[in-house]
Amino acid sequence: GDDVELSNNRKDRSNRDRNRWDTSNLPFFAATLVSNDQSASSWRQKLQSVEKLLCENDGTDLEDALAFCTIYLFWISVGAISCVEDGTHYRPNHHAGSAERMFGKIESIEGTDNMSTLAAIRRLHPRLPAFTADFTQSVPLTRIRDIAHGKGDEHGKCREVRQEI
């Protein structure tokens, strides 16, 4: 993927506007992910689009849904699909909640005897964010919030925290 760099929203959005989201000749789940990616700029939004695709699946073509979601999350993790700050302030519990709901859905289908479904599940598990108690707290992360809002900015950490979180 691309090298990681801190950049502002305007630059990233203009690069995203030049992207072409072509869904012609794509299978349903791949086309859905591509269409959702067009409006999802942040990691949280991309993760929630995967959650919607997996958790609202009625069991039809489950292997395809698992496979395409795994590939999509892999491409995000290596930087082939970029995530940019969307200007909102969501705590990590939103990401963890999405991951926990997806994990629950996956666990509910793990009892299947279909080996290809089980293989797809094994590939998807490591791509999900953690949802331990550290990440599911609904209380604000006060120190990070204070730095992000410029209070007690030490050594220019404000900009770095805003871009990294």
Side-chain angles (χ1 to χ4, degrees):
D2 292 337
D3 291 331
V4 176
E5 65 178 73
L6 296 178
S7 55
N8 64 33
N9 271 347
R10 286 186 213 118
K11 177 183 175 191
D12 291 330
R13 284 188 181 156
S14 65
N15 287 341
R16 283 182 55 82
D17 291 342
R18 286 193 297 262
N19 289 343
R20 198 177 117 215
W21 284 270
D22 184 7
T23 59
S24 61
N25 300 321
L26 287 178
F28 172 74
F29 293 108
T32 303
L33 284 171
V34 171
S35 296
N36 291 344
D37 188 72
Q38 188 171 5
S39 61
S41 59
S42 71
W43 165 235
R44 177 190 53 82
Q45 292 169 331
K46 292 176 189 299
L47 189 63
Q48 287 174 339
S49 71
V50 170
E51 175 193 1
K52 183 177 179 182
L53 194 64
L54 287 178
C55 293
E56 294 179 4
N57 186 316
D58 60 1
T60 57
D61 297 325
L62 189 58
E63 291 172 38
D64 285 349
L66 291 166
F68 286 118
C69 288
T70 301
I71 292 166
Y72 181 67
L73 292 175
F74 172 76
W75 284 345
I76 292 170
S77 72
V78 298
I81 297 175
S82 63
C83 297
V84 297
E85 183 180 342
D86 63 355
T88 58
H89 297 283
Y90 284 90
R91 295 181 204 118
N93 66 326
H94 290 278
H95 306 75
S98 289
E100 189 169 19
R101 287 184 290 278
M102 285 187 277
F103 185 82
K105 174 68 173 182
I106 291 168
E107 289 294 307
S108 72
I109 58 175
E110 265 192 336
T112 184
D113 291 334
N114 186 331
M115 294 307 286
S116 56
T117 300
L118 292 174
I121 289 170
R122 281 194 301 274
R123 293 287 189 188
L124 181 59
H125 270 242
R127 301 277 166 225
L128 297 178
F131 53 88
T132 60
D134 293 338
F135 298 101
T136 56
Q137 298 176 26
S138 60
V139 296
L141 302 170
T142 309
R143 179 68 183 133
I144 293 173
R145 185 198 63 215
D146 287 348
I147 292 172
H149 291 277
K151 299 175 186 170
D153 187 11
E154 301 164 1
H155 310 294
K157 291 285 185 192
C158 179
R159 183 165 185 246
E160 181 182 348
V161 168
R162 283 185 180 169
Q163 296 296 325
E164 290 295 322
I165 295 178

